[in-house]
Amino acid sequence: MDILPSLICITTDNSIFSHQEQVLAFIGKGARFVQIRSKALDKDELGRQVEQSLKYVKESGALLIVNDFLDLARDFAVSGVHLGVNDCSVERARELLGADAIIGSTVHNLDDAIKVKELGLCDYVGLGPIRGSRTKLDLAPVLSKETIDEILNLLSPLPVYLIGGIELSDCDLISRYDIAGIAVCSALSQGSGCGNQVGHFIEYLESSNLNMV
């Protein structure tokens, strides 16, 4: 698989903008890797928004993945799926989506990392949280630097993205930990704007000579 972009932009239910509007805003600001994540919409409505979002990313050449909903990822032929700890199995996702699909897994602790490593079917991992998050109330315990280092050593060379309350100032974590990138949600938008901080993240990463693809 080609190298993945270093910034994953994640949509949220906690916005006055729909998920498809968020995707359009992210793409318009230069995002190359977008994840649609909704815990509030029913599958039919989310499917409609995924379908519309796919039109935007096809025009831009960006990657679009769906959180949790494996059948939507399959039905709309998006780039892939991100699976949480309690979602369907990675084996099932790989079987349904095929070898070329991007499959990501969430890792909250060393046990999760061991399972991902032994299975060997994921394309990347979302590791965290590194701090509290405004978008997830059922957050796992915040990871210490020692635990992050231990998990990174175990998972290497699998691409790892830090997750959980990521802010603009956290871009330097990519070089500090020598990881693939960061996954950002709340910090992508400020005030009444939608995705108005995406460009700042991209500028920071590019000015630091970090992979943007």
Side-chain angles (χ1 to χ4, degrees):
M1 171 171 289
D2 295 334
I3 296 175
L4 297 172
S6 52
L7 176 66
I8 303 178
C9 296
I10 305 175
T11 67
T12 176
D13 292 317
N14 301 325
S15 174
I16 61 172
F17 299 95
S18 68
H19 290 269
Q20 68 184 55
E21 289 172 330
Q22 293 174 62
V23 172
L24 179 59
F26 297 165
I27 295 297
K29 296 295 184 180
R32 308 298 297 165
F33 193 2
V34 179
Q35 178 192 147
I36 294 180
R37 182 176 73 190
S38 176
K39 303 295 183 180
L41 297 181
D42 63 52
K43 189 168 68 172
D44 289 340
E45 174 57 29
L46 184 58
R48 284 189 284 271
Q49 298 210 29
V50 169
E51 184 176 24
Q52 184 60 47
S53 298
L54 191 57
K55 297 177 182 178
Y56 307 145
V57 299
K58 282 184 175 178
E59 293 173 358
S60 70
L63 301 171
L64 179 68
I65 62 174
V66 179
N67 189 73
D68 295 354
F69 288 88
L70 176 58
D71 48 351
L72 293 183
R74 176 198 59 197
D75 293 347
F76 293 104
V78 297
S79 300
V81 66
H82 184 91
L83 301 173
V85 175
N86 298 316
D87 298 329
C88 81
S89 71
V90 176
E91 298 99 319
R92 180 61 174 161
R94 185 57 73 195
E95 177 185 347
L96 287 182
L97 301 183
D100 294 332
I102 298 171
I103 298 179
S105 285
T106 299
V107 167
H108 288 315
N109 50 55
L110 188 59
D111 286 341
D112 291 343
I114 291 172
K115 292 175 183 176
V116 167
K117 184 74 172 183
E118 290 178 345
L119 198 57
L121 292 176
C122 290
D123 297 293
Y124 77 91
V125 157
L127 174 61
I130 65 164
R131 66 168 63 90
S133 169
R134 286 172 281 171
T135 60
K136 296 192 71 174
L137 300 179
D138 56 341
L139 204 64
V142 172
L143 296 176
S144 67
K145 182 182 183 304
E146 292 73 20
T147 300
I148 292 174
D149 286 335
E150 186 177 9
I151 291 174
L152 290 177
N153 287 333
L154 173 68
L155 291 177
S156 181
L158 186 66
V160 173
Y161 291 77
L162 291 182
I163 60 175
I166 298 288
E167 303 285 348
L168 183 61
S169 59
D170 295 316
C171 287
D172 64 353
L173 292 175
I174 296 177
S175 56
R176 188 186 309 173
Y177 284 109
D178 191 23
I179 56 175
I182 51 177
V184 189
C185 186
S186 295
L188 296 176
S189 302
Q190 197 171 75
S192 60
C194 181
N196 54 5
Q197 297 300 300
V198 172
H200 294 300
F201 276 92
I202 293 173
E203 288 173 7
Y204 193 122
L205 294 171
E206 289 180 339
S207 67
S208 302
N209 294 317
L210 297 170
N211 162 51
M212 276 304 302
V213 181

